[in-house]
Structure formats: structure tokens, C-alpha cells
């Protein structure tokens, strides 16, 4: 995983390299089944630095890949209403789908389009993929570019978040390093240690952090 931040932004406890990017190893793993409201869902975990940062609870069927809920880093279960289509089937150029619903307490609007077929090369090899372009307008501005290889899954993913003025806030890039295989679940660190909360302020929701505000600022 490669993480790039906008000018002046930093992430505590993570040191960027010479080109101002943070690089971390990420592992995705299917880890059994979770029952949610009487429905059996596959547990798709994301492991990073010894922690499970999130777990998507999904189904895979003739309609595609659908996410019904997500477990975040703190163990909170967040349900999607309606369930969110991550990859629709069958995939073909020009296919579109939307997610216009709730993710927990958040109102989310996303639109996805299959823009075409592409051959892409990543560390795991070369794959023939469908490129999926996603755009989110609520609750924050975001674009998601995904390259999906049938029989393998998403082999490349680039998510970009921008401020209201268009300036880059964060870009996260993922590329498949090894082809999927069966192996033991990695060790997960205990969450007993205390966590430190960092807070920044901005004039606008999802705006760039600021340390200076005028006395008549309408909101922070």
C-alpha cells in the first residue's frame, strides 16, 4: 500500500520515504463466515501492521460482490442500507451502478462505471482486467479506480480524496503483490494498549486543516 498526503498533512507514527509517500504491507484474507441478521456473510479482512483495520462482510453470487456490513478497527459493526454493490455482474464496458444509502449514520452517494478492459501489470504479474471508475459525492469527495480481474479479484485500487477546492488530501494505492493462496492467519496484536486521539480543525467539512481562524468565523 502506498499512501500520499496533500501538502502540509502528516500521519502520526508513520514516516514517509524520500518521495513523501508512506509504504506499508497489506494483507487481505477470507476468514470464515459471520452471521448478521440471520444471513451468512463472508469475512474479508484487511490486515496492516499486525492489526485488522477493517472487515467487509460480503456475499459473492450471480449478482456480483455485495457488501452488507463492515467491522471497523474498533470492532464496531456498520451496516449498509441497502447493501452496497462492490462489483456488479456481469461485467461489461458501459455497465453502471449506484450506491445511494446509509453506512451506519452516514449518508453515502457513489456511482460506478465500467470504463473498459485493460491489461495491467502489478507485482503479482500481468492481468486482463475490467477498469471500474467510482465517484463519491457524499459525505466527502472521493474517486475510486479499480482494476478487477475475473477469477482473481481486484488487482489494483487507487482511492483519491480531495478538499472542496480540489486540492489533494490523500491518495491510497494498492497493487496485488502475490497471487491468492491459502495460508495461516497472521498474528494479530492485542488491542489492550491505549490509543491516542489526534484532532485537526478546518473551516469546512472535509476541508484542509488550519491553525488560524478569524474572530468572526461562522463555524469550525
Amino acid at each position: 500500500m502506498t499512501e500520499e498526503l496533500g501538502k502540509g498533512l502528516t500521519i502520526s507514527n508513520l514516516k514517509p520515504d524520500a518521495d513523501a509517500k508512506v509504504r506499508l504491507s497489506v494483507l487481505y484474507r477470507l476468514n470464515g463466515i459471520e452471521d448478521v441478521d440471520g444471513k451468512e456473510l463472508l469475512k474479508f479482512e484487511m490486515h496492516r501492521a499486525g492489526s485488522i483495520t477493517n472487515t467487509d462482510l460480503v456475499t459473492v453470487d450471480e449478482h456480483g460482490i455485495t457488501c452488507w456490513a463492515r467491522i471497523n478497527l474498533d470492532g464496531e459493526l456498520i451496516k449498509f442500507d441497502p447493501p452496497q454493490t462492490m462489483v456488479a455482474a456481469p461485467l461489461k464496458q458501459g455497465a453502471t451502478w449506484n450506491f445511494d444509502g446509509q453506512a451506519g449514520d452516514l449518508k453515502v452517494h457513489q456511482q460506478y462505471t465500467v470504463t473498459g478492459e485493460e491489461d495491467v501489470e502489478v507485482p503479482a504479474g500481468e492481468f486482463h482486467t475490467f477498469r471500474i471508475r467510482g465517484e463519491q459525492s457524499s459525505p466527502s469527495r472521493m474517486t475510486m479506480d479499480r482494476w478487477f480481474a475475473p477469477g482473481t479479484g481486484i488487482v489494483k485500487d487507487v482511492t483519491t480524496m480531495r478538499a472542496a477546492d480540489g486540492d489533494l488530501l490523500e491518495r491510497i494505492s494498492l497493487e496485488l503483490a502475490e497471487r491468492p493462496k491459502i495460508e495461516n492467519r497472521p498474528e494479530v496484536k492485542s488491542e489492550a494498549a491505549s490509543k491516542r486521539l489526534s484532532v485537526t480543525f478546518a473551516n469546512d467539512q472535509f476541508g484542509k486543516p488550519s491553525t488560524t481562524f478569524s474572530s468572526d468565523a461562522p463555524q469550525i
Side-chain angles (χ1 to χ4, degrees), residues 10 18 46 49-50 54 58 60 78 81 85 88 95 97 114 136 143 147 160 166-168 171 179 193:
T10 60
M46 178 180 181
N54 61 269
V58 305
V60 181
I78 300 170
D81 183 22
T85 299
W97 64 91
V114 180
Q136 175 177 288
T143 59
W147 288 259
T160 304
D167 286 355
L168 177 69
R171 180 180 291 114
R179 292 176 182 267

PDB file of all heavy atoms in Angstrom, residues 10 18 46 49-50 54 58 60 78 81 85 88 95 97 114 136 143 147 160 166-168 171 179 193:
ATOM      1  N   THR A  10       0.160  15.350   7.611  1.00  0.00           N
ATOM      2  CA  THR A  10       1.013  14.273   8.104  1.00  0.00           C
ATOM      3  C   THR A  10       0.171  13.229   8.817  1.00  0.00           C
ATOM      4  O   THR A  10      -0.966  13.492   9.213  1.00  0.00           O
ATOM      5  CB  THR A  10       2.081  14.793   9.090  1.00  0.00           C
ATOM      6  OG1 THR A  10       1.418  15.414  10.208  1.00  0.00           O
ATOM      7  CG2 THR A  10       3.009  15.796   8.421  1.00  0.00           C
ATOM      8  N   ALA A  18      11.594   9.055   0.799  1.00  0.00           N
ATOM      9  CA  ALA A  18      12.208  10.215   0.157  1.00  0.00           C
ATOM     10  C   ALA A  18      11.246  10.962  -0.767  1.00  0.00           C
ATOM     11  O   ALA A  18      11.376  12.177  -0.953  1.00  0.00           O
ATOM     12  CB  ALA A  18      13.445   9.780  -0.627  1.00  0.00           C
ATOM     13  N   MET A  46      -8.858  -7.032   6.268  1.00  0.00           N
ATOM     14  CA  MET A  46      -7.686  -6.278   5.828  1.00  0.00           C
ATOM     15  C   MET A  46      -6.721  -6.191   7.006  1.00  0.00           C
ATOM     16  O   MET A  46      -7.040  -5.620   8.042  1.00  0.00           O
ATOM     17  CB  MET A  46      -8.070  -4.867   5.371  1.00  0.00           C
ATOM     18  CG  MET A  46      -6.890  -4.017   4.936  1.00  0.00           C
ATOM     19  SD  MET A  46      -7.414  -2.358   4.405  1.00  0.00           S
ATOM     20  CE  MET A  46      -5.832  -1.635   3.946  1.00  0.00           C
ATOM     21  N   ALA A  49       0.083  -3.932   9.585  1.00  0.00           N
ATOM     22  CA  ALA A  49       0.932  -3.687  10.756  1.00  0.00           C
ATOM     23  C   ALA A  49       0.451  -4.456  11.984  1.00  0.00           C
ATOM     24  O   ALA A  49       0.435  -3.936  13.097  1.00  0.00           O
ATOM     25  CB  ALA A  49       1.007  -2.196  11.054  1.00  0.00           C
ATOM     26  N   GLY A  50       0.027  -5.703  11.775  1.00  0.00           N
ATOM     27  CA  GLY A  50      -0.366  -6.544  12.892  1.00  0.00           C
ATOM     28  C   GLY A  50      -1.770  -6.324  13.406  1.00  0.00           C
ATOM     29  O   GLY A  50      -2.160  -6.924  14.414  1.00  0.00           O
ATOM     30  N   ASN A  54     -10.039  -3.331   9.032  1.00  0.00           N
ATOM     31  CA  ASN A  54     -11.476  -3.427   8.777  1.00  0.00           C
ATOM     32  C   ASN A  54     -11.791  -4.803   8.201  1.00  0.00           C
ATOM     33  O   ASN A  54     -10.924  -5.483   7.641  1.00  0.00           O
ATOM     34  CB  ASN A  54     -11.973  -2.323   7.836  1.00  0.00           C
ATOM     35  CG  ASN A  54     -11.327  -2.371   6.469  1.00  0.00           C
ATOM     36  OD1 ASN A  54     -10.308  -1.733   6.244  1.00  0.00           O
ATOM     37  ND2 ASN A  54     -11.909  -3.133   5.546  1.00  0.00           N
ATOM     38  N   VAL A  58     -19.399  -9.818   3.173  1.00  0.00           N
ATOM     39  CA  VAL A  58     -19.853  -9.790   1.784  1.00  0.00           C
ATOM     40  C   VAL A  58     -20.518 -11.099   1.366  1.00  0.00           C
ATOM     41  O   VAL A  58     -20.370 -12.139   2.016  1.00  0.00           O
ATOM     42  CB  VAL A  58     -18.669  -9.497   0.833  1.00  0.00           C
ATOM     43  CG1 VAL A  58     -17.958  -8.215   1.240  1.00  0.00           C
ATOM     44  CG2 VAL A  58     -17.677 -10.658   0.800  1.00  0.00           C
ATOM     45  N   VAL A  60     -20.931 -13.308  -2.462  1.00  0.00           N
ATOM     46  CA  VAL A  60     -20.478 -13.422  -3.852  1.00  0.00           C
ATOM     47  C   VAL A  60     -21.435 -14.380  -4.551  1.00  0.00           C
ATOM     48  O   VAL A  60     -21.538 -15.555  -4.182  1.00  0.00           O
ATOM     49  CB  VAL A  60     -19.032 -13.951  -3.933  1.00  0.00           C
ATOM     50  CG1 VAL A  60     -18.588 -14.044  -5.393  1.00  0.00           C
ATOM     51  CG2 VAL A  60     -18.081 -13.063  -3.136  1.00  0.00           C
ATOM     52  N   ILE A  78     -20.879  -1.813  11.233  1.00  0.00           N
ATOM     53  CA  ILE A  78     -21.566  -0.761  10.488  1.00  0.00           C
ATOM     54  C   ILE A  78     -22.326  -1.421   9.345  1.00  0.00           C
ATOM     55  O   ILE A  78     -21.731  -2.036   8.460  1.00  0.00           O
ATOM     56  CB  ILE A  78     -20.564   0.271   9.939  1.00  0.00           C
ATOM     57  CG1 ILE A  78     -19.787   0.917  11.090  1.00  0.00           C
ATOM     58  CG2 ILE A  78     -21.281   1.335   9.113  1.00  0.00           C
ATOM     59  CD1 ILE A  78     -18.620   1.759  10.641  1.00  0.00           C
ATOM     60  N   ASP A  81     -27.326   0.124   4.212  1.00  0.00           N
ATOM     61  CA  ASP A  81     -28.752   0.064   3.894  1.00  0.00           C
ATOM     62  C   ASP A  81     -29.043   0.984   2.713  1.00  0.00           C
ATOM     63  O   ASP A  81     -29.028   2.201   2.860  1.00  0.00           O
ATOM     64  CB  ASP A  81     -29.577   0.487   5.110  1.00  0.00           C
ATOM     65  CG  ASP A  81     -31.075   0.368   4.858  1.00  0.00           C
ATOM     66  OD1 ASP A  81     -31.466  -0.401   3.954  1.00  0.00           O
ATOM     67  OD2 ASP A  81     -31.845   1.051   5.558  1.00  0.00           O
ATOM     68  N   THR A  85     -23.271  -2.681  -3.606  1.00  0.00           N
ATOM     69  CA  THR A  85     -22.651  -3.464  -4.676  1.00  0.00           C
ATOM     70  C   THR A  85     -21.221  -2.979  -4.873  1.00  0.00           C
ATOM     71  O   THR A  85     -20.994  -1.814  -5.206  1.00  0.00           O
ATOM     72  CB  THR A  85     -23.432  -3.325  -5.995  1.00  0.00           C
ATOM     73  OG1 THR A  85     -24.762  -3.819  -5.803  1.00  0.00           O
ATOM     74  CG2 THR A  85     -22.756  -4.101  -7.114  1.00  0.00           C
ATOM     75  N   ALA A  88     -20.456  -5.358  -9.759  1.00  0.00           N
ATOM     76  CA  ALA A  88     -21.690  -5.906 -10.322  1.00  0.00           C
ATOM     77  C   ALA A  88     -21.363  -6.955 -11.381  1.00  0.00           C
ATOM     78  O   ALA A  88     -20.318  -6.905 -12.028  1.00  0.00           O
ATOM     79  CB  ALA A  88     -22.531  -4.792 -10.928  1.00  0.00           C
ATOM     80  N   ALA A  95     -21.300  -0.693 -18.229  1.00  0.00           N
ATOM     81  CA  ALA A  95     -22.189  -1.052 -17.118  1.00  0.00           C
ATOM     82  C   ALA A  95     -22.043  -0.028 -15.994  1.00  0.00           C
ATOM     83  O   ALA A  95     -20.945   0.459 -15.715  1.00  0.00           O
ATOM     84  CB  ALA A  95     -21.857  -2.446 -16.607  1.00  0.00           C
ATOM     85  N   TRP A  97     -23.646   1.253 -11.907  1.00  0.00           N
ATOM     86  CA  TRP A  97     -24.480   1.008 -10.732  1.00  0.00           C
ATOM     87  C   TRP A  97     -24.203   2.094  -9.697  1.00  0.00           C
ATOM     88  O   TRP A  97     -23.154   2.743  -9.724  1.00  0.00           O
ATOM     89  CB  TRP A  97     -24.253  -0.387 -10.146  1.00  0.00           C
ATOM     90  CG  TRP A  97     -22.881  -0.650  -9.600  1.00  0.00           C
ATOM     91  CD1 TRP A  97     -22.444  -0.464  -8.318  1.00  0.00           C
ATOM     92  CD2 TRP A  97     -21.751  -1.166 -10.320  1.00  0.00           C
ATOM     93  NE1 TRP A  97     -21.127  -0.828  -8.189  1.00  0.00           N
ATOM     94  CE2 TRP A  97     -20.679  -1.266  -9.401  1.00  0.00           C
ATOM     95  CE3 TRP A  97     -21.544  -1.556 -11.648  1.00  0.00           C
ATOM     96  CZ2 TRP A  97     -19.424  -1.735  -9.774  1.00  0.00           C
ATOM     97  CZ3 TRP A  97     -20.294  -2.015 -12.011  1.00  0.00           C
ATOM     98  CH2 TRP A  97     -19.252  -2.108 -11.083  1.00  0.00           C
ATOM     99  N   VAL A 114     -18.114   0.878 -15.503  1.00  0.00           N
ATOM    100  CA  VAL A 114     -17.057   0.057 -16.102  1.00  0.00           C
ATOM    101  C   VAL A 114     -16.601   0.787 -17.360  1.00  0.00           C
ATOM    102  O   VAL A 114     -17.331   0.861 -18.353  1.00  0.00           O
ATOM    103  CB  VAL A 114     -17.563  -1.359 -16.440  1.00  0.00           C
ATOM    104  CG1 VAL A 114     -16.431  -2.182 -17.065  1.00  0.00           C
ATOM    105  CG2 VAL A 114     -18.093  -2.048 -15.190  1.00  0.00           C
ATOM    106  N   GLN A 136     -17.572   9.436  -5.587  1.00  0.00           N
ATOM    107  CA  GLN A 136     -18.394   9.676  -4.403  1.00  0.00           C
ATOM    108  C   GLN A 136     -18.587  11.173  -4.221  1.00  0.00           C
ATOM    109  O   GLN A 136     -17.630  11.939  -4.257  1.00  0.00           O
ATOM    110  CB  GLN A 136     -17.719   9.087  -3.165  1.00  0.00           C
ATOM    111  CG  GLN A 136     -18.453   9.389  -1.856  1.00  0.00           C
ATOM    112  CD  GLN A 136     -17.804   8.736  -0.664  1.00  0.00           C
ATOM    113  OE1 GLN A 136     -17.869   7.522  -0.497  1.00  0.00           O
ATOM    114  NE2 GLN A 136     -17.159   9.530   0.185  1.00  0.00           N
ATOM    115  N   THR A 143     -12.700   9.702  -5.394  1.00  0.00           N
ATOM    116  CA  THR A 143     -12.752   8.877  -6.596  1.00  0.00           C
ATOM    117  C   THR A 143     -12.086   7.544  -6.292  1.00  0.00           C
ATOM    118  O   THR A 143     -11.121   7.473  -5.529  1.00  0.00           O
ATOM    119  CB  THR A 143     -12.051   9.544  -7.790  1.00  0.00           C
ATOM    120  OG1 THR A 143     -10.677   9.800  -7.463  1.00  0.00           O
ATOM    121  CG2 THR A 143     -12.742  10.845  -8.168  1.00  0.00           C
ATOM    122  N   TRP A 147      -9.196  -2.066 -10.760  1.00  0.00           N
ATOM    123  CA  TRP A 147      -8.958  -2.958 -11.881  1.00  0.00           C
ATOM    124  C   TRP A 147      -9.283  -4.372 -11.409  1.00  0.00           C
ATOM    125  O   TRP A 147      -8.585  -4.930 -10.557  1.00  0.00           O
ATOM    126  CB  TRP A 147      -7.516  -2.846 -12.346  1.00  0.00           C
ATOM    127  CG  TRP A 147      -7.200  -1.562 -13.064  1.00  0.00           C
ATOM    128  CD1 TRP A 147      -7.102  -1.390 -14.419  1.00  0.00           C
ATOM    129  CD2 TRP A 147      -6.933  -0.273 -12.485  1.00  0.00           C
ATOM    130  NE1 TRP A 147      -6.796  -0.089 -14.715  1.00  0.00           N
ATOM    131  CE2 TRP A 147      -6.687   0.628 -13.550  1.00  0.00           C
ATOM    132  CE3 TRP A 147      -6.881   0.208 -11.171  1.00  0.00           C
ATOM    133  CZ2 TRP A 147      -6.393   1.969 -13.332  1.00  0.00           C
ATOM    134  CZ3 TRP A 147      -6.596   1.545 -10.954  1.00  0.00           C
ATOM    135  CH2 TRP A 147      -6.357   2.414 -12.021  1.00  0.00           C
ATOM    136  N   THR A 160      -8.696   8.343  -4.198  1.00  0.00           N
ATOM    137  CA  THR A 160      -8.206   9.714  -4.063  1.00  0.00           C
ATOM    138  C   THR A 160      -9.256  10.572  -3.381  1.00  0.00           C
ATOM    139  O   THR A 160     -10.417  10.585  -3.794  1.00  0.00           O
ATOM    140  CB  THR A 160      -7.874  10.317  -5.445  1.00  0.00           C
ATOM    141  OG1 THR A 160      -6.932   9.467  -6.113  1.00  0.00           O
ATOM    142  CG2 THR A 160      -7.281  11.711  -5.297  1.00  0.00           C
ATOM    143  N   GLY A 166     -10.461  21.232  -4.500  1.00  0.00           N
ATOM    144  CA  GLY A 166      -9.801  20.336  -5.439  1.00  0.00           C
ATOM    145  C   GLY A 166      -8.415  19.897  -5.032  1.00  0.00           C
ATOM    146  O   GLY A 166      -7.830  19.010  -5.669  1.00  0.00           O
ATOM    147  N   ASP A 167      -7.854  20.506  -3.983  1.00  0.00           N
ATOM    148  CA  ASP A 167      -6.513  20.121  -3.542  1.00  0.00           C
ATOM    149  C   ASP A 167      -6.513  18.704  -2.977  1.00  0.00           C
ATOM    150  O   ASP A 167      -7.474  18.272  -2.332  1.00  0.00           O
ATOM    151  CB  ASP A 167      -6.000  21.087  -2.469  1.00  0.00           C
ATOM    152  CG  ASP A 167      -5.591  22.432  -3.046  1.00  0.00           C
ATOM    153  OD1 ASP A 167      -5.613  22.571  -4.284  1.00  0.00           O
ATOM    154  OD2 ASP A 167      -5.268  23.342  -2.255  1.00  0.00           O
ATOM    155  N   LEU A 168      -5.411  18.004  -3.205  1.00  0.00           N
ATOM    156  CA  LEU A 168      -5.284  16.633  -2.722  1.00  0.00           C
ATOM    157  C   LEU A 168      -5.240  16.588  -1.204  1.00  0.00           C
ATOM    158  O   LEU A 168      -4.489  17.328  -0.568  1.00  0.00           O
ATOM    159  CB  LEU A 168      -4.008  15.993  -3.287  1.00  0.00           C
ATOM    160  CG  LEU A 168      -3.698  14.569  -2.800  1.00  0.00           C
ATOM    161  CD1 LEU A 168      -4.725  13.582  -3.355  1.00  0.00           C
ATOM    162  CD2 LEU A 168      -2.282  14.159  -3.208  1.00  0.00           C
ATOM    163  N   ARG A 171      -4.185  10.140  -1.123  1.00  0.00           N
ATOM    164  CA  ARG A 171      -4.319   9.151  -2.197  1.00  0.00           C
ATOM    165  C   ARG A 171      -3.731   7.829  -1.702  1.00  0.00           C
ATOM    166  O   ARG A 171      -2.592   7.785  -1.242  1.00  0.00           O
ATOM    167  CB  ARG A 171      -3.610   9.598  -3.470  1.00  0.00           C
ATOM    168  CG  ARG A 171      -3.734   8.567  -4.616  1.00  0.00           C
ATOM    169  CD  ARG A 171      -3.028   9.023  -5.884  1.00  0.00           C
ATOM    170  NE  ARG A 171      -3.715  10.158  -6.492  1.00  0.00           N
ATOM    171  CZ  ARG A 171      -3.200  11.375  -6.599  1.00  0.00           C
ATOM    172  NH1 ARG A 171      -1.982  11.621  -6.119  1.00  0.00           N
ATOM    173  NH2 ARG A 171      -3.884  12.355  -7.163  1.00  0.00           N
ATOM    174  N   ARG A 179      -0.217 -13.688  -5.996  1.00  0.00           N
ATOM    175  CA  ARG A 179      -1.498 -14.278  -6.362  1.00  0.00           C
ATOM    176  C   ARG A 179      -2.136 -14.930  -5.136  1.00  0.00           C
ATOM    177  O   ARG A 179      -1.423 -15.392  -4.231  1.00  0.00           O
ATOM    178  CB  ARG A 179      -1.317 -15.298  -7.489  1.00  0.00           C
ATOM    179  CG  ARG A 179      -0.914 -14.630  -8.810  1.00  0.00           C
ATOM    180  CD  ARG A 179      -0.650 -15.637  -9.906  1.00  0.00           C
ATOM    181  NE  ARG A 179      -0.221 -14.963 -11.128  1.00  0.00           N
ATOM    182  CZ  ARG A 179      -1.035 -14.585 -12.108  1.00  0.00           C
ATOM    183  NH1 ARG A 179      -2.339 -14.831 -12.003  1.00  0.00           N
ATOM    184  NH2 ARG A 179      -0.569 -13.972 -13.182  1.00  0.00           N
ATOM    185  N   ALA A 193      -3.658  -2.036  24.446  1.00  0.00           N
ATOM    186  CA  ALA A 193      -2.921  -0.788  24.648  1.00  0.00           C
ATOM    187  C   ALA A 193      -3.822   0.412  24.387  1.00  0.00           C
ATOM    188  O   ALA A 193      -4.717   0.384  23.556  1.00  0.00           O
ATOM    189  CB  ALA A 193      -1.714  -0.750  23.707  1.00  0.00           C
TER     190      ALA A 193
END
